[in-house]
Amino acid sequence: MGVYYADADYVGALRRIGVLLIDGVTLFVSASILAAIGLSLDRTSEEILFAVTLAMAWLYVTVLKTSRFRTLGYWLMDCKIVTLSGTKPSPIRLTFRAMLWRVSSSNLLYDLAWCGIDEQKQTLRDRFSGTTLVRNGAKPIGTAPIHLSCCTAMTYAYFYPQVIRPGGLRGEA
């Protein structure tokens, strides 16, 4: 069983763009500071600096994102990420979600466009990873079964888990 929220509690494309910009700038500035520190030390090799930067970025987009502190983008845009059952996602699930931009047809523009047409304002990577982005204070308004949904778009057939509300996606009777 999964949970669903009021339509106004789902985070849409504009807030997501805000999160992406804020978190992108935060990661860029952090990586730049690490690079400046690394370049000032003679002993630091580029490989070690790259590994530290990659580890910092992974911690930011997985562990910090689900902590009570959240990322700076999530905090300023007042949102949180949860699983379809309403629980905190694991770092493995969020690693999979982050990797979807790199290894799938779900790129940034396509993902945001999908968010604009999706009934629950979710991106494809949210759909595939079984996560939902909602406002921080959002409380589930009900439970419903999780079904495997199918959609065809731009010559791709997508299958992903989705909470199907009673009476349809938007709760129509």
Side-chain angles (χ1 to χ4, degrees):
M1 293 295 283
V3 298
Y4 57 92
Y5 298 84
D7 290 340
D9 286 337
Y10 291 102
V11 174
L14 290 178
R15 277 185 192 260
R16 286 173 184 272
I17 291 170
V19 168
L20 289 171
L21 289 173
I22 294 166
D23 285 345
V25 167
T26 302
L27 285 170
F28 178 77
V29 168
S30 300
S32 297
I33 291 170
L34 280 175
I37 292 170
L39 292 175
S40 68
L41 300 174
D42 293 331
R43 302 174 306 200
T44 305
S45 70
E46 291 178 11
E47 293 84 15
I48 292 172
L49 183 62
F50 178 75
V52 169
T53 304
L54 192 61
M56 180 218 41
W58 178 81
L59 287 169
Y60 188 81
V61 300
T62 58
V63 177
L64 187 61
K65 195 169 272 194
T66 60
S67 73
R68 66 183 176 111
F69 302 108
R70 297 171 290 151
T71 65
L72 186 59
Y74 276 24
W75 186 73
L76 290 175
M77 293 290 116
D78 194 37
C79 57
K80 66 179 178 180
I81 191 165
V82 294
T83 65
L84 294 180
S85 59
T87 61
K88 181 172 80 166
S90 69
I92 293 171
R93 184 181 298 259
L94 289 183
T95 300
F96 173 70
R97 181 179 181 265
M99 293 304 295
L100 283 174
W101 267 355
R102 190 73 183 133
V103 297
S104 75
S105 64
S106 178
N107 64 39
L108 175 63
L109 294 178
Y110 191 61
D111 223 20
L112 290 173
W114 188 275
C115 177
I117 62 170
D118 188 81
E119 290 284 330
Q120 296 169 340
K121 303 175 188 171
Q122 298 307 296
T123 61
L124 273 176
R125 61 193 188 113
D126 284 328
R127 291 291 185 196
F128 292 146
S129 61
T131 58
T132 303
L133 201 58
V134 294
R135 292 183 185 259
N136 189 40
K139 301 286 186 219
I141 60 171
T143 61
I146 299 173
H147 292 280
L148 189 62
S149 296
C150 174
C151 181
T152 305
M154 295 179 65
T155 71
Y156 292 105
Y158 298 112
F159 295 91
Y160 49 79
Q162 183 175 12
V163 177
I164 305 296
R165 298 179 186 196
L169 287 176
R170 294 216 181 244
E172 294 94 10

